[in-house]
């Protein structure tokens, strides 16, 4: 581009010269015009090449992330895909037993493999303060390896109704520490039940915030077991107000929560009228917002094929 500008500038000077001495300038004028056209064509070709390189790079990144199953779509979950030899984490198409259609999920093939990711928080790039229909169908950016999303409550129901599933919650704070919470028999009901949540025994290092078992006197209002799902436009909690509206996200609220992984994304410690951050009470309390969250499920009887 700089060469082209210099050539054009030189042509202007030359034309000024030609005005003063017109007899010998016509041939040189044509030569300069031809050089300008040649350079313009080169610049255009370089622009096209640069755009093609960018598009190929983007396509390559997408191809690496989306796992091509060569037309097969009958996996019921990521565990089946893993045991069929697909050991690369990425976006897969699955179809649970009672689902009317196939749909995309992110499969985490690390950590023992076979995990279907149902939620991810990483950087606050997605708002989780959304209406019932968004949580029903799912939202966010699943296509990026670090994108934030909610899989969708209908899909959660189809997945967890086809057998016994374990839930694993991976949590990370702004100091680089990591904790985990595991729950057996994780299940989400259908929309008629308002996607009622149920789960069993806890294990892990983050503490049992989901069941509120950290103190028997608060469990009646802090436990999320048996709770219906609530959003700001569909209030199903046990609180006289609207927990979803106060706490900036849809969740299985009680009165209101000791765990809220769909809250507002703060940078660690925060203040507010309500404890509306990404909260896991038994690790960092109500007034610290977690940095990273991944919720993922896998069949309880999962055994990896060893080849």
């Amino acid at each position: 581009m700089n060469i082209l500008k210099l050539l054009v500038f030189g042509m202007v000077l030359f034309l000024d010269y030609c005005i003063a001495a017109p007899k010998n300038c016509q041939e040189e004028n044509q030569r300069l015009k031809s050089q300008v056209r040649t350079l313009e064509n080169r610049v255009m070709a370089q622009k096209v090449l640069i755009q093609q390189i960018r598009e190929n790079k983007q396509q390559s990144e997408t191809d690496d992330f989306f796992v091509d199953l060569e037309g097969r779509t009958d996996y019921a979950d990521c565990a089946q895909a893993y045991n069929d030899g697909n050991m690369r984490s990425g976006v897969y198409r699955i179809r649970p037993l009672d689902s009317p259609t196939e749909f995309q999920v992110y499969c985490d093939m690390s950590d023992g493999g076979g995990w279907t990711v149902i939620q991810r928080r990483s950087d606050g790039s997605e708002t989780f303060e959304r209406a019932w229909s968004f949580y029903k169908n799912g939202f966010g950016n699943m296509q990026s390896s670090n994108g934030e999303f909610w899989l969708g409550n209908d899909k959660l129901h189809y997945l967890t109704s086809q057998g016994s599933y374990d839930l694993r919650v991976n949590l990370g704070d702004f100091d680089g520490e990591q904790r985990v919470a595991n729950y057996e028999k994780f299940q989400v009901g259908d929309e008629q039940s308002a996607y009622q949540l149920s789960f069993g025994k806890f294990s892990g290092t983050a503490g049992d915030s989901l069941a509120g078992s950290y103190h028997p006197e608060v469990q009646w209002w802090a436990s999320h077991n048996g709770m219906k799902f609530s959003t700001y436009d569909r209030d199903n909690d046990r609180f006289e107000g609207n927990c979803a509206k106060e706490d900036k996200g849809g969740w299985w609220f009680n009165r209101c929560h000791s765990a809220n992984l769909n809250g507002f994304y703060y940078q660690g410690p925060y203040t507010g009228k309500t404890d509306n951050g990404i909260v896991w009470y038994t690790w960092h309390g109500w007034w610290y917002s977690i940095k990273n969250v991944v919720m993922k499920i896998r069949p309880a009887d999962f055994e990896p094929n060893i080849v």
Side-chain angles (χ1 to χ4, degrees):
M1 289 296 291
N2 290 332
I3 294 174
L4 179 59
K5 288 178 181 178
L6 288 172
L7 187 58
V8 171
F9 180 68
M11 185 175 176
V12 171
L13 292 177
F14 183 79
L15 289 174
D16 288 340
Y17 167 77
C18 287
I19 292 172
K23 291 183 178 180
N24 300 320
C25 292
Q26 186 174 1
E27 184 178 339
E28 184 67 13
N29 185 28
Q30 293 298 322
R31 187 183 69 80
L32 287 172
K33 285 183 177 179
S34 176
Q35 286 184 351
V36 169
R37 284 194 295 271
T38 300
L39 285 172
E40 285 176 340
N41 290 335
R42 257 185 220 172
V43 170
M44 183 61 66
Q46 287 176 346
K47 286 182 178 179
V48 171
L49 180 61
I50 290 170
Q51 183 62 29
Q52 288 176 343
I53 291 172
R54 286 175 178 170
E55 291 177 354
N56 290 338
K57 183 175 183 294
Q58 291 173 352
Q59 183 64 43
S60 176
E61 289 173 350
T62 302
D63 290 343
D64 288 342
F65 196 70
F66 184 84
V67 181
D68 185 5
L69 299 177
E70 299 180 350
R72 178 169 180 179
T73 59
D74 57 346
Y75 296 127
D77 56 22
C78 295
Q80 285 191 3
Y82 183 87
N83 274 343
D84 198 36
N86 301 286
M87 299 183 181
R88 184 161 58 115
S89 296
V91 177
Y92 288 72
R93 289 190 180 94
I94 66 167
R95 184 172 181 174
L97 297 179
D98 293 330
S99 175
T101 59
E102 66 178 50
F103 52 84
Q104 291 185 355
V105 295
Y106 184 84
C107 292
D108 181 358
M109 300 310 192
S110 65
D111 199 14
W115 295 99
T116 303
V117 179
I118 64 174
Q119 185 253 33
R120 187 191 293 129
R121 307 297 302 273
S122 58
D123 56 11
S125 56
E126 292 287 337
T127 175
F128 279 65
E129 190 176 9
R130 295 181 183 249
W132 183 267
S133 60
F134 284 93
Y135 277 98
K136 169 185 169 70
N137 298 309
F139 60 85
N141 178 16
M142 189 188 299
Q143 305 304 319
S144 169
S145 59
N146 203 39
E148 297 194 327
F149 69 90
W150 181 258
L151 180 60
N153 289 337
D154 276 348
K155 300 179 183 74
L156 272 175
H157 168 65
Y158 292 134
L159 279 162
T160 61
S161 64
Q162 59 186 353
S164 180
Y165 277 78
D166 293 336
L167 169 69
R168 177 164 296 180
V169 183
N170 291 109
L171 304 161
D173 67 14
F174 284 88
D175 293 320
E177 291 190 39
Q178 304 288 324
R179 299 291 175 90
V180 65
N182 303 301
Y183 292 91
E184 299 176 358
K185 299 178 180 178
F186 176 81
Q187 189 169 31
V188 176
D190 60 13
E191 187 173 20
Q192 188 175 359
S193 75
Y195 303 115
Q196 188 174 25
L197 175 66
S198 63
F199 54 86
K201 184 180 177 181
F202 162 81
S203 63
T205 58
D208 184 11
S209 288
L210 207 57
S213 63
Y214 49 89
H215 198 295
E217 294 183 6
V218 304
Q219 196 165 9
W220 67 275
W221 65 262
S223 175
H224 299 270
N225 206 351
M227 296 302 105
K228 298 178 179 180
F229 202 86
S230 289
T231 56
Y232 66 74
D233 62 338
R234 194 78 66 90
D235 186 7
N236 294 310
D237 60 52
R238 295 179 175 177
F239 181 53
E240 55 269 19
N242 185 323
C243 293
K245 186 178 292 185
E246 287 190 5
D247 293 327
K248 304 296 184 181
W251 192 249
W252 296 279
F253 291 107
N254 190 333
R255 295 176 58 90
C256 281
H257 68 82
S258 57
N260 177 22
L261 300 181
N262 288 339
F264 188 82
Y265 195 93
Y266 293 99
Q267 302 289 323
Y270 69 97
T271 57
K273 292 182 179 179
T274 63
D275 47 351
N276 60 5
I278 302 173
V279 171
W280 195 264
Y281 172 75
T282 50
W283 185 19
H284 274 300
W286 281 295
W287 302 103
Y288 185 100
S289 189
I290 304 298
K291 180 181 181 181
N292 306 114
V293 179
V294 174
M295 298 175 66
K296 53 191 180 183
I297 59 174
R298 189 173 67 180
D301 60 356
F302 174 77
E303 291 185 7
N305 288 340
I306 300 176
V307 179

